[in-house]
């Protein structure tokens, strides 16, 4: 696991946007895995800027989002489809038919999981998956004790996740308690996983992810097994790590190596 500790959320977003750019510049028809939540917002702003200035085109890119609430229509302002349109898709040159998000209104939500998996497979799999992390260590909506071998399916949200995400819902608005999410195995099959986290509220989950035991209690800890996982965090999110100095030294030496021998 590559651990990159930066000073601010701004720097986290800059690097994340650069990784997305590099992926798309290397392969114009890349398949990207997208995340919602507050964390990737700044990254999306930077991606939009790059697209507007003509340095990055999404014309051939395909995307798959991690998850969607069950019961919310694409037009519902709290749905993840709406979030993605508002914060990214409506502002870049991506083809609408190339953007995929689980259907929260699927007549049969149980069938939606395998159908979504089939679409990912048909697209050739995900090249780069952006991830946030829940304060309880969830990725996508794979809550603690999710099967490490899980695939896209319906999940019941924990109290802790419902509380964390309550801020996105207005008073009196019904907050769904079920979601369809890519599974942990689905995420693990992405060729490169980039997990972003900012702030002290994520420090415990980040410590468990990077240094804790591999455990279904912290679903993100599975990334210890990923061949190419990059964790980009700000100082606050890194505050509970024990080997901080080591990660910083690895990064410096990595940069020196890259400068000499290229990537
Ligand atoms: C939700 C999403 C996750 C996201 C998490 C953290 O639960 N399903 O994909 O990583 O929130 O969100 P935030 O970035 O707002 O802290």
């Amino acid at each position: 696991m590559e651990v990159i500790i930066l000073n601010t959320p701004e720097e986290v977003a800059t690097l994340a946007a650069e990784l997305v750019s590099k992926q798309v510049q290397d392969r114009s028809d890349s398949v990207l895995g997208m995340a919602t939540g507050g964390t990737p917002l700044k990254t999306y702003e930077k991606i939009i800027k790059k697209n507007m200035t003509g340095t990055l085109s999404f014309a051939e890119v395909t995307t798959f989002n991690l998850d969607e609430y069950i019961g919310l229509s694409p037009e519902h302002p709290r749905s993840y489809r709406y979030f993605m349109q508002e914060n990214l898709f409506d502002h870049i040159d991506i083809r609408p038919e190339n953007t995929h998000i689980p259907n929260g209104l699927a007549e049969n939500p149980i069938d939606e999981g395998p159908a979504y998996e089939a679409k990912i497979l048909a697209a050739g799999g995900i090249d780069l998956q952006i991830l946030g992390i829940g304060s309880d260590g969830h990725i996508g909506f794979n809550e603690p004790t999710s099967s490490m071998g899980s695939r896209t399916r319906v999940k019941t949200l924990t109290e802790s996740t419902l509380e964390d995400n309550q801020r996105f819902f207005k008073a009196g608005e019904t907050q769904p308690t079920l979601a369809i999410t890519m599974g942990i195995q689905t995420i693990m099959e992405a060729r490169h996983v980039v997990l972003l986290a900012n702030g002290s509220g994520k420090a415990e989950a980040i410590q468990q992810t990077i240094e804790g035991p591999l455990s279904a209690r912290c679903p993100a800890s599975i990334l210890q097994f990923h061949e190419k996982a990059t964790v980009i965090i700000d100082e606050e999110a890194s505050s509970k790590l024990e080997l901080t100095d080591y990660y910083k030294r690895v990064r410096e030496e990595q940069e020196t190596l890259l400068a000499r021998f290229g990537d």
Side-chain angles (χ1 to χ4, degrees), residues 36-40 66-67 80 132-134 138 140-141 161 165 167-168 202:
T36 53
T39 310
L66 284 165
D67 44 17
Y80 283 168
I133 185 168
H138 74 237
F141 267 134
T161 295
N165 289 342
R167 68 190 197 280
F168 294 110
K202 300 291 171 71

Side-chain angles (χ1 to χ4, degrees), residues 23 27 29-33 61-64 100 116-129 151 182 185-192:
Q23 172 65 46
R27 245 197 66 195
D29 61 348
S30 288
V31 179
L32 302 178
V61 166
T62 298
T63 63
F64 287 91
H100 304 276
Y116 199 65
E117 291 279 335
K119 283 185 206 161
I120 296 174
L121 199 65
I126 294 169
D127 293 305
L128 185 152
Q129 174 69 55
R151 295 204 161 271
M182 273 187 207
Q185 189 56 35
T186 323
I187 294 170
M188 285 295 282
E189 283 170 11
R191 290 180 266 276
H192 184 188

Side-chain angles (χ1 to χ4, degrees), residues 16 29 35 59 77 82 85 110 159 163 180 192 199 259:
D29 61 348
Y82 189 95
Q85 293 302 138
I110 293 172
E159 282 303 321
E163 270 169 38
I180 301 182
H192 184 188

Side-chain angles (χ1 to χ4, degrees), residues 11 51-52 86 107 126 135 138 166 170 178 182 195:
E11 288 178 30
N51 187 242
M52 276 177 156
E86 282 281 290
E107 213 169 286
I126 294 169
S135 58
H138 74 237
Q166 205 169 23
K170 291 197 183 126
L178 294 176
M182 273 187 207
L195 186 146

